[in-house]
Amino acid sequence: MGKLEGKVAVITGGSSGMALASAKRFVEEGAYVFITGRRQEALDEAVELIGRNVTGVRGDAANLDDLDRLFETVKREKGKIDILFASAGTGEAVPLGKITEQHFDAAFGLNVRGTLFTVQKALPLFNDGGSIIMTGSNASAKGFAGWGVYAASKLALRSFARTWLNELKGRNIRVNVLVPGAIATPMQEEVLSKEAKEMFESMIPRGKMGQPEEVATVALFLASDDSSFVNGGELFVDGGMSAI
Amino acid sequence: MGALEGKVAVITGGNGGIGLATARRFVKEGAYVFITGRRQAELDKAVSLIGKNVTAVRGDVSKLEDLDHLYDVVRKEKGRVDVVFANAGLVDPVLLTDSTPDTYDKQFNLNARGVYFTVQKALPLLADNASIILSGSAAWQMGIPALGAYSATKAALVSFVRTWTAELASRGIRANVISPGPTETPMVHVGAKASDEGTSDYFKKMIPMGRLGTADELASAAVFLASDESSFITGIDLPVDGGTASR
Ligand SMILES: NC(=O)c1ccc[n+]([C@@H]2O[C@H](COP(=O)([O-])OP(=O)(O)OC[C@H]3O[C@@H](n4cnc5c(N)ncnc54)[C@H](OP(=O)(O)O)[C@@H]3O)[C@@H](O)[C@H]2O)c1
Ligand SMILES: NC(=O)c1ccc[n+]([C@@H]2O[C@H](COP(=O)([O-])OP(=O)(O)OC[C@H]3O[C@@H](n4cnc5c(N)ncnc54)[C@H](OP(=O)(O)O)[C@@H]3O)[C@@H](O)[C@H]2O)c1
């Protein structure tokens, strides 16, 4: 029997990368999964890849109307949520001195504001005993030049988890932050130069980036009852980069 | 197929509490397990409870010759180790004002020094891609009266795994800490000794989830860190504490 038999999961930004790998794994473990993303084409491909027990809902996780539409769809189709994986996130390198309002608002608008309202709007549908997972970044624990705004936005999630732990404990809903390091995903391909990738790789003790599937297994742990006493924490999946 | 099919694991303090629950889960997941402890009677009980794929080796983790003996047995029987769960530990709640070199040494000798050499002596047998797991405690990052020396022994473990991550990653070996919060085992009652309240009341106030953890919940976290499911996780402290250290 799968570890998520009969569970309903919502995964924002689930049409690519580590969240897509997680959606695939969740379905293999018995869950029904809703995935979101802004590009319909990417969503369609993801739905086809996952193959069954999945609904793609197009939408921007930074847009509150889109979030309303997402949860209306979930409510109509399944009526409840057991697992929320708020993974949609964005970031690019801009050093202090060159930071614009747009740069700041893009990162905080999706990573912090979008994540907050994703969680808040999911709550009325949440089953007691559910699991909320947010995607942070180990950039928050390092000092990568240029990544200041992104790192700060991701650390806000750690703070949310601490507060929500106490606000949601009466419903036995757990809240944790999954903290990836350098993972070989399409986002990485897009935003990192060859030199930047080599730089990150040189900082990983094993010398090789993580694979999306190596994050999916961790998301599964946090989503399942295997982590029933893990709450309010952050789980680094970075091959030891921030430990050394 | 189990998550630990064909793996060989060594679990210190495997004859009770979290160590025993973990040994049972490891065997269920397909591993062969060596357990240690000082009390032979508890070892025997543990072996019959676990049922199969287990060898008990009596010994005290704070005595280096006992560790040598343990790994001699492992070498002869299996020839290699895939998972080391350095879990044996003790707590002696005593305020700073009342501490003595003896209360201090006892805790450091087992919880820090014993763990250090449990891992060092395993190295020659450790397979590439092996997983090292240490039992820490949520207390290391809190300020609980009377747990000063104990918490410091556990803080040392968080530091150990960072260095070992750097030293052993080229062999694919991972090293992590699991930090339990108050967990329903014999030890938790000792830990509450310094308070006048009952164990549950004393600790429940600290735990956002409002209940103690179970040894089985710690065991499932240990399975996760022991298995390939956590292949990109190393050098971390995984709190399994119901939110105790985050509140
Ligand atoms: N890759 C890494 O090394 C790394 C490291 C640390 C943290 N992270 C974090 O991990 C998460 C996933 O990253 P990834 O590398 O897997 O990215 P990815 O491969 O680019 O996938 C991102 C997914 O999110 C969707 N998305 C982006 N903006 C969105 C929005 N506003 N609303 C809804 N969906 C949106 C994308 O689809 P559309 O473009 O169609 O919307 C895509 O499906 C992010 O939060 C990222 O910050 C990544
Ligand atoms: N329970 C909690 O609330 C809690 C919280 C945080 C951290 N922890 C940590 O989790 C670990 C396991 O704790 P537990 O609650 O399962 O404890 P426990 O119930 O007291 O079990 C400890 C086990 O370790 C063995 N042991 C003790 N001293 C030993 C020594 N010198 N050499 C070899 N084996 C020894 C004991 O058997 P013998 O007496 O036969 O040797 C016993 O089987 C410890 O490191 C502890 O510090 C526990």
Side-chain angles (χ1 to χ4, degrees):
Chain A
M1 212 181 91
K3 286 182 188 285
L4 302 179
E5 216 64 58
K7 307 258 179 184
V8 176
V10 174
I11 305 182
T12 66
S15 62
S16 168
M18 54 187 105
L20 171 57
S22 302
K24 197 160 170 282
R25 186 71 201 268
F26 284 13
V27 168
E28 283 162 16
E29 297 287 341
Y32 191 96
V33 173
F34 293 84
I35 58 171
T36 80
R38 293 161 306 174
R39 291 163 303 150
Q40 188 63 49
E41 200 184 305
L43 268 178
D44 293 343
E45 277 172 35
V47 165
E48 194 178 312
L49 184 88
I50 296 168
R52 67 194 156 104
N53 293 335
V54 56
T55 301
V57 184
R58 186 175 166 185
D60 182 341
N63 179 312
L64 304 200
D65 293 333
D66 285 4
L67 288 173
D68 284 335
R69 208 162 31 246
L70 164 65
F71 292 114
E72 273 159 28
T73 308
V74 175
K75 187 173 178 191
R76 205 170 45 240
E77 290 194 18
K78 292 288 167 184
K80 55 152 198 165
I81 300 174
D82 299 290
I83 298 152
L84 173 66
F85 185 10
S87 177
T90 186
E92 58 177 329
V94 180
L96 191 60
K98 297 234 156 55
I99 294 168
T100 61
E101 269 181 77
Q102 285 78 0
H103 168 69
F104 182 91
D105 291 344
F108 274 75
L110 177 58
N111 302 352
V112 186
R113 187 174 181 273
T115 301
L116 160 64
F117 286 104
T118 301
V119 171
Q120 181 164 294
K121 287 174 186 294
L123 277 183
L125 295 179
F126 241 83
N127 276 330
D128 288 359
S131 173
I132 296 172
I133 306 163
M134 300 180 278
T135 303
S137 168
N138 80 340
S140 302
K142 306 291 286 188
F144 302 133
W147 291 90
V149 169
Y150 176 73
S153 74
K154 289 298 196 177
L155 198 55
L157 305 181
R158 167 65 174 131
S159 178
F160 280 158
R162 290 183 170 230
T163 305
W164 297 345
L165 155 73
N166 285 303
E167 293 187 2
L168 299 176
K169 65 186 183 186
R171 297 180 56 191
N172 203 22
I173 296 171
R174 299 182 293 112
V175 193
N176 292 287
V177 184
L178 188 161
V179 186
I183 310 294
T185 66
M187 181 201 244
Q188 272 240 355
E189 289 299 319
E190 200 181 298
V191 303
L192 294 188
S193 63
K194 186 166 168 286
E195 293 71 36
K197 271 186 236 160
E198 282 168 4
M199 191 268 290
F200 280 117
E201 239 160 18
S202 73
M203 297 170 74
I204 304 170
R206 77 176 187 190
K208 280 202 313 264
M209 292 213 187
Q211 294 299 315
E213 293 71 23
E214 291 180 294
V215 178
T217 49
V218 182
L220 171 63
F221 172 69
L222 288 176
S224 77
D225 290 340
D226 280 347
S227 61
S228 54
F229 207 51
V230 178
N231 199 352
E234 51 185 351
L235 214 174
F236 279 75
V237 192
D238 72 347
M241 190 200 284
S242 55
I244 62 172
Chain B
M1 212 182 86
L4 302 177
E5 213 64 57
K7 306 233 187 213
V8 178
V10 171
I11 302 179
T12 67
N15 56 342
I18 293 166
L20 173 56
T22 302
R24 295 181 74 174
R25 268 299 294 279
F26 277 18
V27 168
K28 253 196 211 131
E29 297 289 345
Y32 192 97
V33 171
F34 292 84
I35 58 171
T36 73
R38 293 161 305 171
R39 291 164 301 161
Q40 188 64 50
E42 300 306 312
L43 281 171
D44 294 342
K45 270 192 234 159
V47 166
S48 71
L49 205 62
I50 296 167
K52 57 165 183 172
N53 294 334
V54 55
T55 300
V57 185
R58 187 175 168 190
D60 183 337
V61 165
S62 60
K63 299 198 175 116
L64 301 196
E65 62 275 17
D66 284 9
L67 287 173
D68 287 332
H69 172 64
L70 163 66
Y71 289 116
D72 276 345
V73 175
V74 176
R75 182 183 305 108
K76 282 194 198 103
E77 287 196 19
K78 292 287 170 186
R80 68 156 212 288
V81 175
D82 301 293
V83 181
V84 179
F85 185 24
N87 162 74
L90 72 87
V91 60
D92 185 5
V94 48
L95 296 170
L96 176 61
T97 40
D98 304 327
S99 291
T100 65
D102 179 57
T103 59
Y104 181 94
D105 289 345
K106 200 164 69 179
Q107 296 180 86
F108 268 90
N109 278 345
L110 177 60
N111 298 3
R113 186 177 182 268
V115 166
Y116 196 86
F117 288 102
T118 298
V119 172
Q120 190 208 46
K121 288 177 182 294
L123 284 180
L125 290 175
L126 267 193
D128 289 352
N129 300 317
S131 174
I132 297 165
I133 307 165
L134 315 181
S135 275
S137 169
W140 84 265
Q141 47 175 335
M142 300 170 67
I144 305 176
L147 296 191
Y150 174 77
S151 302
T153 65
K154 299 300 191 178
L157 307 187
V158 177
S159 176
F160 288 167
V161 297
R162 291 181 165 224
T163 306
W164 297 342
T165 289
E167 291 185 3
L168 302 174
S170 59
R171 289 177 58 193
I173 296 171
R174 302 180 293 111
N176 296 291
V177 175
I178 288 185
S179 281
T183 304
E184 193 50 75
T185 71
M187 175 183 281
V188 80
H189 303 288
V190 182
K193 204 173 70 182
S195 147
D196 297 332
E197 302 166 76
T199 305
S200 308
D201 291 342
Y202 179 60
F203 282 121
K204 260 188 202 156
K205 282 188 309 204
M206 292 183 196
I207 312 170
M209 287 180 85
R211 64 174 177 87
L212 300 185
T214 66
D216 284 337
E217 287 179 301
L218 271 300
S220 51
V223 169
F224 171 65
L225 287 180
S227 78
D228 296 338
E229 298 274 277
S230 58
S231 57
F232 203 50
I233 294 182
T234 184
I236 72 157
D237 170 39
L238 176 61
V240 183
D241 65 357
T244 306
S246 294
R247 91 221 132 99

